[in-house]
Amino acid sequence: MEIRTLAIITPFGIVFVCTGIIVNLIQAACFLIIRPVSKNLFRTINGAVAENFWLLIVWVLDWWSGFTVQLYTDKETYRLIGKEHAFLMPNHMCDTDILMMWLLAQRFCCLRSALMVVKKSSKYLPIYGWAIWFFGFVFLDRSWEKDEQKLKSSFKELEDFPRPFWLTMFVEGTRMTPDKLLDAQEFAASRGLPVPRNVLIPRTKGFVAAVKYMRSFVPAVYDITVAVPKGHAVPSLLSVCDRQPSEVKMHIKRYSMKELPESDAALAQWCRDRFVEKDAMLEKFRAEGRFGDQKIPDAGRSLKAVLVVITCSCITYFGIYKFCKMFSLLSTWKGNGILAGGLAIVVLLLHIFFEYTKLPQRALVAAETNGKKN
């Protein structure tokens, strides 16, 4: 499947890689020249530049794969979402959760300020990882001794952010797989906690730190529950690029920061209670196929993403044409070798992205075993 997908997606991959390199260069120049003078001006320019890169990914979800998202929320949350700073707390269902958050941010005009807390290894991915590093993502070692001070400084830096931002944290710490769910169930049973069936037990230290250091300037927590209806496969980067359509439903509930407890222990318990509620909500979703709150009409696929893809494609392929013509690459064996090498680099980068998002072998074995049992 991956070889076929690589062949299909490579023309777009060329655009993605070339655009990403240009974005990285602009980000690096702004980081060195503008950020020392004005942090907020750097954020404004960086957000505008990076947004075009994220829109390439939005286009893949929206237009290429036929990915659809249905939102459920109440009227008050719908009125405020996208108009205020917010801390997002979704369940971590699959490797495309980050892409889904970008799609959601695009729907509410927050794409250029959609920040996330992710694992440290992400920033070493070529092009994509460099882009999110310059953009201001928070990278964790998954060791509280190393991460505590990093989170504190990162959260406090957002206090003067120049526009409404979203900071997403997957507080489960990792995406849910059958083996990780089994571990969570055994842990819950051994501690006398509610045994989850659809989510993992949250790691509350990061959540507590986020609320503690941002509650003075972030007015709300958005508790987001993501579910896939029956008959639809859980999406992955590979399936999205292979044009396998999928549907996801999201329930969004807004909590005012003022409503949250003050003490660390009470905040941790509040977070765990929300995941118990998520679990019950997902269990009910399995039976009914929908969430209880009001369904929000879809704003439609992004036309801006189409415009960005067309523009970037024209610039990329016109640039390649002029480069080939300038150095007569198509008329010599050496020139053909250079072009073949460039194409091989693009294919290799796409392969790296696919491999990075795949489940570990242990999780794949557990999933296969679980499927046989079912």
Side-chain angles (χ1 to χ4, degrees):
M1 176 182 173
E2 184 177 331
I3 295 175
R4 179 168 63 92
T5 304
L6 283 171
I8 294 172
I9 203 69
T10 292
F12 171 78
I14 294 171
V15 177
F16 182 80
V17 169
C18 292
T19 303
I21 291 172
I22 294 172
V23 167
N24 288 161
L25 291 174
I26 295 173
Q27 288 177 311
C30 291
F31 183 83
L32 294 173
I33 298 171
I34 296 177
R35 194 178 188 280
V37 179
S38 173
K39 184 171 66 176
N40 279 342
L41 179 59
F42 166 75
R43 285 166 166 170
T44 300
I45 297 173
N46 188 22
V49 171
E51 181 186 23
N52 292 292
F53 194 39
W54 310 151
L55 281 169
L56 295 179
I57 298 172
V58 169
W59 177 83
V60 171
L61 290 173
D62 255 350
W63 295 90
W64 176 261
S65 71
F67 192 91
T68 59
V69 174
Q70 179 63 62
L71 301 180
Y72 294 82
T73 191
D74 57 88
K75 291 182 179 179
E76 181 64 11
T77 300
Y78 185 63
R79 182 181 70 83
L80 291 172
I81 192 169
K83 299 179 178 66
E84 61 180 354
H85 295 332
F87 176 71
L88 277 60
M89 186 176 69
N91 55 308
H92 202 352
M93 184 182 62
C94 60
D95 63 270
T96 55
D97 288 337
I98 290 178
L99 311 187
M100 288 186 230
M101 292 301 108
W102 272 331
L103 190 62
L104 184 64
Q106 185 277 323
R107 295 288 196 267
F108 291 97
C109 303
C110 279
L111 188 57
R112 63 177 58 186
S113 54
L115 305 170
M116 298 185 198
V117 180
V118 296
K119 58 186 178 181
K120 183 180 178 179
S121 58
S122 300
K123 70 180 179 181
Y124 300 116
L125 285 172
I127 301 173
Y128 165 81
W130 307 333
I132 62 177
W133 184 86
F134 282 120
F135 192 63
F137 275 35
V138 181
F139 300 95
L140 298 184
D141 290 280
R142 291 180 173 174
S143 168
W144 185 243
E145 290 74 18
K146 297 179 180 179
D147 293 333
E148 183 177 11
Q149 190 58 40
K150 185 185 303 181
L151 285 173
K152 178 181 177 180
S153 60
S154 298
F155 294 151
K156 296 297 285 184
E157 273 194 13
L158 296 174
E159 191 167 1
D160 60 347
F161 206 87
R163 58 182 291 126
F165 70 81
W166 287 1
L167 179 67
T168 299
M169 176 184 284
F170 299 98
V171 296
E172 291 162 289
T174 184
R175 66 185 124 160
M176 195 182 75
T177 61
D179 61 321
K180 291 172 184 174
L181 178 59
L182 181 60
D183 290 342
Q185 290 171 337
E186 291 175 350
F187 175 82
S190 68
R191 299 296 179 92
L193 301 173
V195 178
R197 299 185 64 183
N198 306 282
V199 295
L200 303 179
I201 297 173
R203 301 178 181 182
T204 57
K205 288 183 178 179
F207 171 82
V208 170
V211 174
K212 186 176 179 180
Y213 297 117
M214 295 195 302
R215 72 188 314 159
S216 63
F217 60 91
V218 174
V221 173
Y222 293 164
D223 185 13
I224 301 177
T225 304
V226 184
V228 176
K230 289 181 180 179
H232 292 268
V234 175
S236 67
L237 179 61
L238 192 58
S239 68
V240 166
C241 291
D242 197 44
R243 306 195 71 181
Q244 297 180 21
S246 185
E247 181 179 347
V248 166
K249 296 184 186 290
M250 291 187 184
H251 180 272
I252 306 174
K253 186 172 182 179
R254 181 185 185 275
Y255 292 93
S256 171
M257 281 284 192
K258 296 178 181 178
E259 301 173 14
L260 272 61
E262 293 290 337
S263 71
D264 291 1
L267 277 173
Q269 187 57 51
W270 187 91
C271 179
R272 286 190 288 268
D273 290 343
R274 298 293 75 74
F275 272 80
V276 172
E277 291 180 5
K278 278 181 190 286
D279 194 40
M281 188 182 299
L282 288 167
E283 198 64 25
K284 187 176 180 182
F285 178 87
R286 281 185 174 185
E288 299 179 359
R290 67 186 302 277
F291 291 114
D293 276 324
Q294 180 179 348
K295 182 192 288 189
I296 302 302
D298 190 2
R301 294 180 288 183
S302 172
L303 294 176
K304 187 176 181 180
V306 176
L307 180 62
V308 167
V309 168
I310 292 173
T311 302
C312 291
S313 298
C314 291
I315 292 172
T316 297
Y317 284 105
F318 180 74
I320 292 173
Y321 167 75
K322 294 296 288 184
F323 183 78
C324 291
K325 190 174 181 181
M326 182 182 300
F327 295 99
S328 304
L329 296 183
L330 293 175
S331 59
T332 64
W333 284 106
K334 183 179 179 180
N336 287 327
I338 292 172
L339 292 176
L343 182 61
I345 290 173
V346 171
V347 173
L348 177 61
L349 289 175
L350 294 176
H351 173 70
I352 289 172
F353 296 147
F354 289 149
E355 287 297 315
Y356 185 79
T357 59
K358 283 181 180 178
L359 290 173
Q361 189 62 35
R362 179 176 172 234
L364 291 173
V365 171
E368 183 179 349
T369 304
N370 189 58
K372 290 178 180 178
K373 288 180 179 178
N374 291 336

